[in-house]
Amino acid sequence: MRSPARGLSPSDGEEVSDSAPLLQGAPQAEAAPACCSARYNLAALAFFGFFVLYALRVNLSVALVDMVDSNTTLADNGTSKECAEHSASSKALHNQKSKRYQWDAETQGWILGSFFYGYIITQILGGYIASKVGSKLLLGFGILVTALFTLCTPIAADFGVGALIVLRVLEGLGEGVTFPAMHAMWSSWAPPLERSKLLSFSYAGASLGMVISLPLSGIICFYMNWTYVFYLFGIVGIIWFALWIWLVSDSPETHKSISQGEKEYIVSSLKNQLSSQKTVPWIPMLKSLPLWAIVVAHFSYNWMFYTLLTLLPTYMKEILRFNIQENGILSAVPYFGGWLCIILSGQAADHLRAKWNFSTICVRQIFSMIGMIGPAVFLVAAGFIGCDYSLAVAFLTISTTLGGFSSSGFSINHLDIAPSYAGILQGITNTFATIPGMVGPVIAKSLTPENTIREWQIVFGIAAAINVFGAIFFTLFAKGEVQNWALDDNHGHRN
């Protein structure tokens, strides 16, 4: 998608025209090839970084099903009998030797939600630090810390619920800096005409992390022991950190092996994009309605996203009655569709903007509406098809797949309205968008004391209604142009 930042002439108004030519009059170096380039190597490492990040985040959702004594679950929040036992008999016996804990449904909800109490704290701080000192070490150590704490999960569980909750909060603190840091890093690395492709590919690693980690966690729990889930992904995170520190640099100017042609191409393409102002315009930023449009959309989308992320394995087990092995595999199917959609939507958004002359705001609105209202419709439908296992999985898959369109909608609108402060804006919007992860699982657990289909219809209906509201609010108040407050003083956006 074309960069939202445009060259300004003296007659331009407070905001840059959404349809103005890109970087008018700015000297441009010839585009450097993408193959084997430093910027696409960065995208590949970022892709695997977010793969690891989400694998570390969601493995507990599957492992928790096997960590809890089934007798406790049945007594407190029992498996529904509305649907017939679906699991086919398996020649291999489910591992029964791993330790089980007496955690009721409310306790499980707090364990799943505790991660976000740490995650919310470091969002804005992460964006600010990245804008001042660089993103490489911040992002790298954020994932490393999460990996190290993940390795300690079995020990914390043995110490008790309190220790496990504290550990998950600490993991959240580590992960909280990652998205703002990545946004800030791309502000120095992504040429305007490649920005949406690079960002969508980088963040698509998160969806693939869920696609791989959910079924793999289920298989490990079924045949081995749930403790190995945390050991495996923790070690993978440490390996990724070593590669990241070795191969990545904060900017093209400091990269050791980048070609001169690529360096000149990136630097020249961003020459009129980045601000030279040292202070952050906090007050005008927080008064910006387009920023709050992103906040509302991000909050609304994440309510549904986190509801499924943390509770889909529970729904698969308690309502549809899949065993732990099938549970992990089927819980991952929806996210495979989302992974494909994220990558393809980035390409489609670029095509609409460059070839069909769609305005930036039009593309953002279209992709946000599809990526929010579409999932809401199919999520509600999934709750009303009862015990039809095939349709349930199909509707949940379609819902999550359509959600991938939002990655080229509100998710990267920060770069449209203020590319110089994209990391900070991401931190602000993600702070609000983390609240659903904190309260969503607890509310959903409280709404499903008997684990009936009717109760889950209410959970899905609430998530869908919030999502539709967010889509409408964003469509009404979002902007596709660089805002006046992001262009003041000696900002480099002016020609």
Side-chain angles (χ1 to χ4, degrees):
M1 198 172 300
R2 289 183 184 269
S3 168
R6 308 283 187 255
L8 289 176
S9 64
S11 61
D12 281 316
E14 291 187 349
E15 297 175 356
V16 188
S17 173
D18 183 55
S19 58
L22 182 68
L23 301 176
Q24 294 175 342
Q28 297 288 305
E30 183 179 353
C35 181
C36 301
S37 63
R39 65 191 186 280
Y40 277 89
N41 288 340
L42 171 61
L45 278 169
F47 176 94
F48 286 110
F50 283 96
F51 171 96
V52 171
L53 193 75
Y54 265 71
L56 295 171
R57 183 185 298 192
V58 306
N59 53 21
L60 182 62
S61 298
V62 175
L64 187 63
V65 175
D66 211 40
M67 292 169 69
V68 177
D69 189 331
S70 59
N71 293 326
T72 303
T73 304
L74 287 170
D76 183 77
N77 199 17
T79 298
S80 171
K81 301 300 182 183
E82 295 179 271
C83 297
E85 186 73 35
H86 177 69
S87 302
S89 60
S90 175
K91 295 181 180 180
L93 295 177
H94 180 193
N95 163 56
Q96 300 291 343
K97 297 180 180 179
S98 56
K99 184 174 290 188
R100 302 292 197 275
Y101 302 96
Q102 305 292 324
W103 296 334
D104 60 21
E106 183 179 358
T107 300
Q108 294 174 52
W110 283 107
I111 291 172
L112 291 173
S114 59
F115 168 90
F116 300 100
Y117 287 88
Y119 189 70
I120 196 173
I121 294 174
T122 50
Q123 292 291 325
I124 299 175
L125 180 63
Y128 182 78
I129 293 175
S131 69
K132 295 299 181 182
V133 302
S135 303
K136 172 184 173 179
L137 293 179
L138 186 63
L139 178 58
F141 279 104
I143 296 180
L144 176 64
V145 166
T146 306
L148 293 175
F149 282 129
T150 297
L151 289 171
C152 298
T153 300
I155 299 174
D158 280 340
F159 273 103
V161 172
L164 182 57
I165 289 177
V166 169
L167 185 76
R168 291 291 290 177
V169 170
L170 293 174
E171 288 184 30
L173 288 172
E175 284 202 20
V177 303
T178 53
F179 278 93
M182 192 74 258
H183 255 54
M185 178 169 274
W186 279 125
S187 70
S188 298
W189 271 98
L193 291 177
E194 298 179 18
R195 188 174 282 158
S196 61
K197 294 178 183 178
L198 290 167
L199 265 71
S200 62
F201 181 76
S202 299
Y203 294 137
S207 293
L208 188 63
M210 291 183 283
V211 170
I212 300 298
S213 65
L214 287 171
L216 185 56
S217 296
I219 292 171
I220 292 172
C221 288
F222 191 85
Y223 291 106
M224 299 172 65
N225 186 310
W226 59 260
T227 59
Y228 292 104
V229 171
F230 303 105
Y231 297 148
L232 172 64
F233 292 113
I235 291 172
V236 171
I238 294 173
I239 294 172
W240 173 86
F241 171 77
L243 293 173
W244 178 262
I245 294 299
W246 180 32
L247 297 173
V248 167
S249 296
D250 276 311
S251 67
E253 292 90 339
T254 59
H255 198 279
K256 297 177 181 179
S257 60
I258 189 174
S259 69
Q260 187 63 30
E262 183 183 9
K263 182 190 296 185
E264 291 177 357
Y265 166 58
I266 296 173
V267 171
S268 64
S269 68
L270 295 174
K271 187 174 183 180
N272 290 349
Q273 296 285 301
L274 302 178
S275 168
S276 60
Q277 182 170 288
K278 300 300 182 182
T279 59
V280 178
W282 291 106
I283 301 301
M285 180 186 293
L286 294 176
K287 289 181 178 179
S288 175
L289 184 58
L291 170 60
W292 289 103
I294 304 175
V295 168
V296 172
H298 203 167
F299 174 94
S300 301
Y301 178 82
N302 272 19
W303 188 285
M304 187 180 73
F305 176 79
Y306 283 133
T307 296
L308 288 179
L309 182 66
T310 57
L311 296 176
L312 186 56
T314 300
Y315 182 76
M316 290 287 188
K317 178 190 177 185
E318 308 295 355
I319 298 297
L320 300 181
R321 303 183 70 184
F322 291 103
N323 66 33
I324 187 69
Q325 182 187 21
E326 296 168 318
N327 191 334
I329 295 172
L330 292 175
S331 295
V333 169
Y335 297 108
F336 179 75
W339 172 65
L340 288 177
C341 189
I342 288 172
I343 294 176
L344 295 177
S345 66
Q347 303 292 323
D350 270 338
H351 186 76
L352 288 175
R353 188 69 180 94
K355 302 297 183 182
W356 292 82
N357 203 32
F358 276 55
S359 67
T360 300
I361 187 57
C362 182
V363 170
R364 297 290 185 249
Q365 290 170 334
I366 291 173
F367 279 67
S368 294
M369 292 287 280
I370 297 173
M372 297 180 75
I373 294 180
V377 170
F378 282 96
L379 183 62
V380 171
F384 279 90
I385 50 85
C387 298
D388 189 323
Y389 310 107
S390 300
L391 270 182
V393 174
F395 283 172
L396 289 170
T397 299
I398 294 172
S399 176
T400 307
T401 299
L402 291 176
F405 279 93
S406 65
S407 66
S408 294
F410 72 85
S411 292
I412 56 174
N413 193 222
H414 316 76
L415 289 162
D416 300 333
I417 65 174
S420 298
Y421 307 106
I424 295 175
L425 295 190
Q426 173 69 11
I428 293 173
T429 65
N430 215 19
T431 295
F432 288 93
T434 301
I435 295 174
M438 298 165 62
V439 302
V442 177
I443 292 176
K445 286 287 187 180
S446 67
L447 290 174
T448 56
E450 303 298 329
N451 260 326
T452 64
I453 292 176
R454 176 59 182 164
E455 290 171 346
W456 280 94
Q457 288 172 353
I458 295 174
V459 172
F460 291 162
I462 291 173
I466 293 173
N467 221 29
V468 170
F469 171 77
I472 295 173
F473 192 94
F474 181 81
T475 301
L476 292 176
F477 300 110
K479 296 292 184 181
E481 309 88 19
V482 180
Q483 299 299 290
N484 179 50
W485 52 265
L487 296 170
D488 287 340
D489 295 323
N490 296 317
H491 282 56
H493 299 281
R494 297 185 181 277
N495 288 325

